[in-house]
Amino acid sequence: MAKSITSYKTLRLILGDQLNASHSWFSQIQPDTLYVIAELKQEATYVQHHKQKIAVFFAAMEQFSQALKAAGHQVLYLTLDDTEEFKGLPALIKHLSTLHQVIQFDYQLPDEYRLRQQLEKLGHDLSIISQACDSEHFYLPDDEIKNYFEKGKRHRLENFYRKMRKRFDVLMEDSLPVGGEWNFDQNNRNKLKPADLAEIPAPLLFTNDISIILARIEKHGIKTIGYATEEVLWPINRKQAQQLLVFFCQTCLPKFGKFQDSMTGKLSLLDQDNGWSLYHSRISFALNSKILSPKQVVDTAIASYHASDGTIDISQIEGFVRQIIGWREFVRGIYWANMPDYAKLNNLAATRQLPSWFWDAKTDMNCLHHAIKQSLEFSYAHHIQRLMVTGNFCLLTGVDPDQVDDWYLGIYIDAIEWVEMPNTRGMSQFADGGIVGSKAYAASGNYIKKMSDYCGDCSYQVNQIDTDNACPLNSLYWNFMQSHQAIMASNPRTKMVYNNWLKKPEEDKQRILNKAQFYLDNIENL
Ligand code: FAD
Ligand code: SF4
């Protein structure tokens, strides 16, 4: 690393997911403050990440550093080459503090437990003043999470969401929800018909050159998953993130809610310009890296709703706002109220290995093939692909939630533990016993058939349960329900399922369970 003898009073660390240009740190130029942004092996390897994910984080960090420099701040950007000699973040900060003779170390509170612990410990170890502050990103300040969430308690999204709408005056009129209802979810369960496919807009994609970063990742021997070309479609700076947000509001929001749960395998992933991301915003990377703030996203979407003369109806805008001020803030609360114990929860005692085809999409199950292939290609899948395709499969087959967490944490462009884990371990795997969601999201092939066109092109038969080519999800579903009857039959949202199952003749039940066992025994070959 280049040696410098410049002295500063304060060293301020900016983590890769803290690219918030509106933070109060940057409201004044302080010549005696050095901002440090560093590519770190510890961050690129704590789990095996998608190639695009590492590259996009590094590219966005570099862009942020350039923007801060252009605004007059003192910034030190360190590449993997510069930081390779340090064992980890604490060693780097100790070295820089001494080198620049700083008397104070500042950091924004990390959103991941792992990093918060590491920096808290570093703060104690350093012989200079160490100060942590809020990242000023979320609606709910960090120190208020405890007022809304309690460890182990089964919180419900709907209650929290209403409180957030009222408190932050979002889509409210005279203290009542705009449109007369809090939640229009029942209007948002449409399937895309063949005629709808032609209308899906081409996504707004960027062509950011990441070739130099990819070479650096390679040079440092960082193991990755997924595919990447020299250009990446994700936004890497504020300008691009704002363009994507505006594009979403003008082009996708009118049908966002309507087709939010839909899936299609008809749009080839080989042609990036067709509508593979449907009406979704793809702003999760920009949000989670803090390039965009949730308030900016919500305010922009609501302004588009008001300006739209009815093309964006209330169920579209409400559905979108609920994801941001509802689900996103909710899972963060659950995470912080329950960590570190949450990371060990395994309520259904699941222990199976994740099949190897999760890393190459080589499965004949068309729904899984498509969701995984898309994830490998773009480091992206939308919510229902994550919850009801890959997540549902892992739930039904009893995959160890540690392995499920690692896969999701690695593969998705937006995956940071605070948001990934409650969604994966909690909502999709029910490993938290219902802290995040009120039921296990278990489904047979019928759900996939209802919400997608995958089944028509599948080698398995979605309407069959125990025949040769029967859709594996059907018998696996009943096997799951049978195996976890004690838990599921006592849950008001799943107990009615047993009305059907218990009425079946014993030999029919056994045939289905045998079929499920066959699929479990041959899980690698599905
Ligand atoms: P859109 O569908 O356009 O939604 C808009 C925004 O709402 C998203 O960008 C996101 O910020 C927010 N949002 C929507 N649903 C959720 C949710 N359940 N939790 C938190 N925020 C939400 N989201 C992540 O940001 N990181 C993750 O690591 C992650 N892991 C997930 C794992 C599983 C098993 C599941 C079921 C969901 C996960 N989600 C995660 C939530 C959701 O799938 C993604 O936020 C969404 O697919 C991102 O794409 P988008 O920006 O196009 O979202
Ligand atoms: Fe998926 Fe079953 Fe449909 Fe095939 S038949 S796409 S495995 S739900």
Side-chain angles (χ1 to χ4, degrees):
M1 180 192 299
K3 294 278 183 277
S4 165
I5 50 159
T6 313
S7 298
Y8 294 93
K9 179 171 161 271
T10 306
L11 189 152
R12 284 180 168 169
L13 173 69
I14 300 170
L15 293 168
D17 66 345
Q18 295 179 337
L19 311 181
N20 173 8
S22 304
H23 194 278
S24 55
W25 271 3
F26 310 119
S27 57
Q28 283 179 347
I29 308 289
Q30 290 171 332
D32 57 358
T33 295
L34 178 66
Y35 291 97
V36 174
I37 304 179
E39 297 175 6
L40 293 163
K41 201 162 188 177
Q42 73 163 51
E43 294 311 296
T45 57
Y46 68 87
V47 73
Q48 199 167 333
H49 298 283
H50 198 294
K51 223 181 236 178
Q52 288 180 40
K53 183 182 172 192
I54 303 178
V56 167
F57 267 103
F58 286 179
M61 286 155 62
E62 240 175 325
Q63 293 270 314
F64 190 64
S65 144
Q66 284 163 17
L68 288 184
K69 278 183 196 163
H73 298 284
Q74 308 295 315
V75 188
L76 179 64
Y77 188 84
L78 301 172
T79 68
L80 280 176
D81 295 341
D82 303 318
T83 61
E84 74 173 337
E85 68 186 271
F86 301 98
K87 211 167 155 237
L89 181 57
L92 174 70
I93 298 299
K94 281 178 190 165
H95 168 82
L96 292 174
S97 303
T98 310
L99 186 67
H100 294 288
Q101 301 173 338
V102 300
I103 55 169
Q104 182 163 329
F105 169 59
D106 289 351
Y107 63 95
Q108 297 174 24
L109 282 170
D111 292 314
E112 281 198 339
Y113 185 84
R114 172 183 65 86
L115 276 166
R116 206 176 274 201
Q117 293 292 102
Q118 190 179 43
L119 288 181
E120 246 172 53
K121 179 168 182 320
L122 171 64
H124 290 131
D125 292 351
L126 287 172
S127 50
I128 54 175
I129 303 163
S130 170
Q131 224 166 256
C133 64
D134 199 294
S135 65
E136 301 173 12
H137 169 78
F138 293 95
Y139 272 90
L140 214 51
D142 191 87
D143 60 4
E144 287 195 39
I145 292 177
K146 60 181 180 313
N147 304 339
Y148 289 76
F149 295 92
E150 212 178 292
K151 187 180 171 76
K153 189 168 169 196
R154 295 175 178 201
H155 291 280
R156 290 297 158 248
L157 178 273
E158 194 59 31
N159 302 336
F160 172 76
Y161 171 54
R162 291 181 190 193
K163 282 186 200 162
M164 293 290 279
R165 289 264 300 268
K166 285 187 213 157
R167 171 164 171 191
F168 294 100
D169 196 20
V170 176
L171 286 179
M172 298 295 293
E173 215 168 43
D174 301 330
S175 307
L176 292 170
V178 172
E181 305 279 342
W182 289 101
N183 186 319
F184 290 84
D185 206 23
Q186 72 281 3
N187 301 353
N188 290 342
R189 291 186 188 139
N190 291 54
K191 177 177 176 168
L192 284 159
K193 301 199 181 73
D196 298 320
L197 295 181
E199 283 182 21
I200 300 173
L204 174 64
L205 307 176
F206 301 97
T207 51
N208 291 307
D209 185 349
I210 50 165
S211 55
I212 295 173
I213 299 176
L214 289 179
R216 223 159 43 228
I217 293 172
E218 187 87 26
K219 177 178 157 197
H220 288 273
I222 291 165
K223 289 206 179 101
T224 55
I225 42 178
Y227 319 128
T229 60
E230 295 195 339
E231 283 179 349
V232 79
L233 59 88
W234 298 100
I236 58 169
N237 54 40
R238 204 175 224 205
K239 189 171 164 212
Q240 291 182 350
Q242 279 166 346
Q243 282 171 354
L244 186 60
L245 174 60
V246 169
F247 168 83
F248 166 74
C249 292
Q250 289 174 351
T251 317
C252 302
L253 189 50
K255 292 187 181 166
F256 169 80
K258 185 174 177 191
F259 293 122
Q260 195 179 358
D261 290 1
S262 269
M263 296 173 284
T264 177
K266 301 285 186 199
L267 299 171
S268 164
L269 299 176
L270 298 176
D271 177 6
Q272 290 200 0
D273 286 335
N274 70 31
W276 56 273
S277 56
L278 311 182
Y279 292 95
H280 291 274
S281 65
R282 289 181 295 105
I283 53 161
S284 48
F285 170 74
L287 266 171
N288 294 354
S289 58
K290 303 189 179 62
I291 295 174
L292 290 181
S293 80
K295 181 163 169 27
Q296 183 187 359
V297 172
V298 166
D299 289 351
T300 308
I302 291 177
S304 301
Y305 160 68
H306 287 307
S308 76
D309 291 334
T311 49
I312 303 172
D313 68 38
I314 182 67
S315 54
Q316 314 308 311
I317 185 68
E318 186 283 319
F320 183 70
V321 162
R322 181 166 10 102
Q323 308 309 318
I324 312 272
I325 70 165
W327 279 111
R328 188 167 184 268
E329 301 270 332
F330 182 70
V331 296
R332 169 175 171 254
I334 296 285
Y335 177 81
W336 280 108
N338 290 286
M339 282 299 279
D341 301 343
Y342 200 84
K344 297 188 200 85
L345 296 179
N346 188 356
N347 180 54
L348 301 179
T351 54
R352 194 176 303 279
Q353 284 275 118
L354 195 61
S356 60
W357 42 262
F358 266 71
W359 283 269
D360 60 17
K362 288 186 182 155
T363 168
D364 290 339
M365 303 176 74
N366 195 35
C367 50
L368 280 133
H369 165 74
H370 192 270
I372 296 171
K373 182 92 169 68
Q374 187 187 304
S375 307
L376 294 167
E377 289 286 347
F378 301 130
S379 191
Y380 177 85
H382 73 64
H383 186 73
I384 294 300
Q385 292 174 303
R386 299 187 203 196
L387 183 68
M388 302 308 296
V389 180
T390 41
N392 180 47
F393 180 83
C394 295
L395 174 72
L396 297 186
T397 54
V399 177
D400 181 342
D402 289 351
Q403 294 196 21
V404 189
D405 260 338
D406 278 359
W407 187 80
Y408 279 91
L409 188 56
I411 202 159
Y412 291 118
I413 201 79
D414 50 36
I416 307 183
E417 194 183 78
W418 67 267
V419 53
E420 174 278 325
M421 190 178 283
N423 270 301
T424 304
R425 189 171 285 258
M427 198 181 334
S428 97
Q429 300 304 295
F430 205 62
D432 67 356
I435 292 177
V436 113
S438 54
K439 65 164 191 170
Y441 283 89
S444 66
N446 199 34
Y447 175 86
I448 309 285
K449 184 180 152 208
K450 205 169 88 194
M451 294 314 301
S452 80
D453 50 27
Y454 291 140
C455 300
D457 295 325
C458 186
S459 347
Y460 293 104
Q461 300 294 313
V462 71
N463 298 326
Q464 303 288 312
I465 302 186
D466 55 16
T467 53
D468 268 3
N469 252 4
C471 168
L473 299 180
N474 293 338
S475 53
L476 289 169
Y477 172 79
W478 288 117
N479 183 61
F480 173 84
M481 286 298 174
Q482 167 77 21
S483 313
H484 299 292
Q485 189 171 352
I487 295 174
M488 303 303 155
S490 61
N491 182 320
R493 294 195 66 195
T494 40
K495 69 176 181 198
M496 61 287 194
V497 162
Y498 292 92
N499 297 343
N500 277 341
W501 178 245
L502 295 173
K503 270 190 229 142
K504 281 188 197 294
E506 220 33 62
E507 61 271 25
D508 288 4
K509 283 199 277 188
Q510 199 50 54
R511 244 193 350 265
I512 293 170
L513 297 177
N514 290 348
K515 186 73 188 173
Q517 192 55 51
F518 171 82
Y519 284 139
L520 288 172
D521 292 342
N522 291 282
I523 195 165
E524 279 294 335
N525 305 316
L526 287 178

